[in-house]
Amino acid sequence: MSKLSTILAVTLAALLLAGCGKHPSGKVEDSTVQTWTIIFYGSAYNNLSSDIKSNIEVLSREALPLYGAKKKLLVFTHCARNDSDFSSPVNGYLVQMSLNYKGLPQFDTLKTYPSDILSTDPAVMRTVLNDAAAAAPSDHYGLILSSHGTGWLPEGYYNNGERVFRNSKTASLEAPANGFKVDLSDDGLPKTKSFGAEFYRNGGNIYSHEMVLSDLAAGLPYKFDYIIFDACFMGGVETAWELREKAGRICFSSAEILAEGFDYREFGPALIKDNPSPEEFAKAFFEHYDAMKGAYRTATITVVDCSRMQPLADVCRDLFDSYRGALSSLDPSGVQPYFRDGKHWFYDLEDILVKAGISQSEKASLESALGSCITYKAATPSVLNLIDIVSFSGLSMYLPCDGSANLDNFYKTLAWNRATGLVE
């Protein structure tokens, strides 16, 4: 058995075992049970390193399938040594985690990746996911993506705004060599995961390389039965539509997710079973955070069936066209937000259209389309004790009248806009 990475070894040292073994032959697998491979992809060369390592530790205690069973759990990580060291080289690792014949945790390193990789590079992601499928071929695949997230936004925009556009006429997004600058100042609130970001330090500044939605779609080499985003702001209609050919169902949050992330203690019952349920996983996450107090009582969560999104696109396309004038003059302060600190790019999809003045019959058609594709949704009364959740359709969306010309130009490249014409 190969050694675990230094990063994981520190976190899981107490659990590592020497040697491998088969499960006793007395356990007979049902030959009719289909095989599943669940892949955890941790892009954590950033200030979430310790949190993602903690998530993996919980997985190692709570959600391990039997060695040789029809369920496989593979974990890929590229973690910084700690939450502030973004200079030390660290390898990436693909590890299979299981229970050995004694019922104790076992970790097998399947592949080691060079320390100079960018896990936010779609080519790297494709390689890792193809390696995972080759190591654990299955009838079904599930994917958990854990990192920072900035929804549909261009790379670097969340932290840098309009400065990321080098050429305003073409909305060029050519990133500087070190990536885009990141602000990690402490605002006194619980740390959040605000998919994909790797940090690099240059002098006194920290920079980030991020994945945009089109890169993420390009990085997924095959279709997954479900994709779970343990990352902020990914719960937008833009994300679901961009990835509709890459996933059967998508589980994500419209607002920020606390850095502690999903409640992986519930990973096993929800996902390591014959018919894995992202809905049960989402419900466990919501109930975990809904029981918290203060700013920690923070959760918005949605599961979308991507195969049933076309009616939503059809309804929205007609409504965007009919209410274009009202949408362009809408007062953003009256629309349900999912953001703070002026990061005004994530509003509630349904509330945008309701405040634009759609009729009761049009609202009923919209709600029917949303209900058809959303299989689970829940939200706490507020996010971080700062954002009251009054209206929650389950999906966020860009509000062009509270955006910019550069963002509009970038938005036109998204599949959702091509399908619905939100931005002309």
Side-chain angles (χ1 to χ4, degrees), residues 24 88 94 99 110 189 291 319 354 370 381 410:
S88 300
L94 180 64
L99 294 174
L110 304 177
L189 291 168
L319 292 177
V354 168
L370 286 165
F410 178 80

Side-chain angles (χ1 to χ4, degrees), residues 104-124:
L104 298 174
Q106 173 176 305
F107 308 96
D108 294 288
T109 301
L110 304 177
K111 189 164 183 179
T112 301
Y113 301 90
S115 61
D116 62 350
I117 64 166
L118 274 174
S119 65
T120 55
D121 182 337
V124 171

Side-chain angles (χ1 to χ4, degrees), residues 43-65:
S43 186
Y45 199 90
N46 52 44
N47 65 324
L48 297 175
S49 176
S50 63
D51 295 295
I52 290 179
K53 289 181 218 173
S54 177
N55 292 156
I56 296 169
E57 183 180 8
V58 173
L59 282 174
S60 72
R61 295 196 310 263
E62 307 290 344
L64 299 188

Side-chain angles (χ1 to χ4, degrees), residues 135-313:
S138 295
D139 300 311
H140 300 279
Y141 293 91
L143 178 63
I144 300 172
L145 296 169
S146 183
S147 189
H148 283 296
T150 56
W152 62 269
L153 290 175
E155 182 181 7
Y157 196 92
Y158 189 84
N159 282 288
N160 296 277
E162 293 290 303
R163 292 190 299 275
V164 306
F165 293 105
R166 297 272 179 117
N167 184 333
S168 61
K169 293 183 179 179
T170 60
S172 172
L173 284 167
E174 181 183 356
N178 289 313
F180 290 102
K181 194 172 180 179
V182 175
D183 179 11
L184 295 180
S185 56
D186 186 359
D187 58 9
L189 291 168
K191 188 169 66 172
T192 63
K193 292 187 170 182
S194 171
F195 162 77
E198 291 213 332
F199 293 170
Y200 289 86
R201 190 180 295 277
N202 184 11
N205 295 321
I206 298 171
Y207 298 86
S208 174
H209 291 285
E210 301 171 9
M211 282 187 119
V212 295
L213 279 180
S214 58
D215 284 346
L216 177 55
L220 302 176
Y222 44 88
K223 186 173 181 178
F224 293 86
D225 286 71
Y226 62 81
I227 296 176
I228 295 173
F229 283 97
D230 193 352
C232 295
F233 298 121
M234 299 308 297
V237 68
E238 298 91 351
T239 299
W241 190 261
E242 195 84 26
L243 302 180
R244 70 193 185 283
E245 301 298 331
K246 299 289 186 174
R249 283 172 288 177
I250 297 178
C251 175
F252 47 19
S253 171
S254 298
E256 291 176 87
I257 286 179
L258 299 186
E260 290 87 346
F262 286 141
D263 182 8
Y264 289 103
R265 289 173 298 180
E266 300 297 328
F267 182 100
L271 299 178
I272 304 291
K273 65 178 194 176
D274 289 349
N275 295 298
S277 172
E279 288 81 9
E280 287 183 25
F281 188 89
K283 184 174 184 289
F285 162 76
F286 173 73
E287 291 178 348
H288 174 78
Y289 283 106
D290 193 40
M292 298 290 189
K293 303 294 184 183
Y296 286 90
R297 191 185 182 193
T298 288
T300 61
I301 195 72
T302 301
V303 180
V304 172
D305 183 338
C306 296
S307 69
R308 298 164 67 181
M309 288 193 69
Q310 188 62 52
L312 179 62

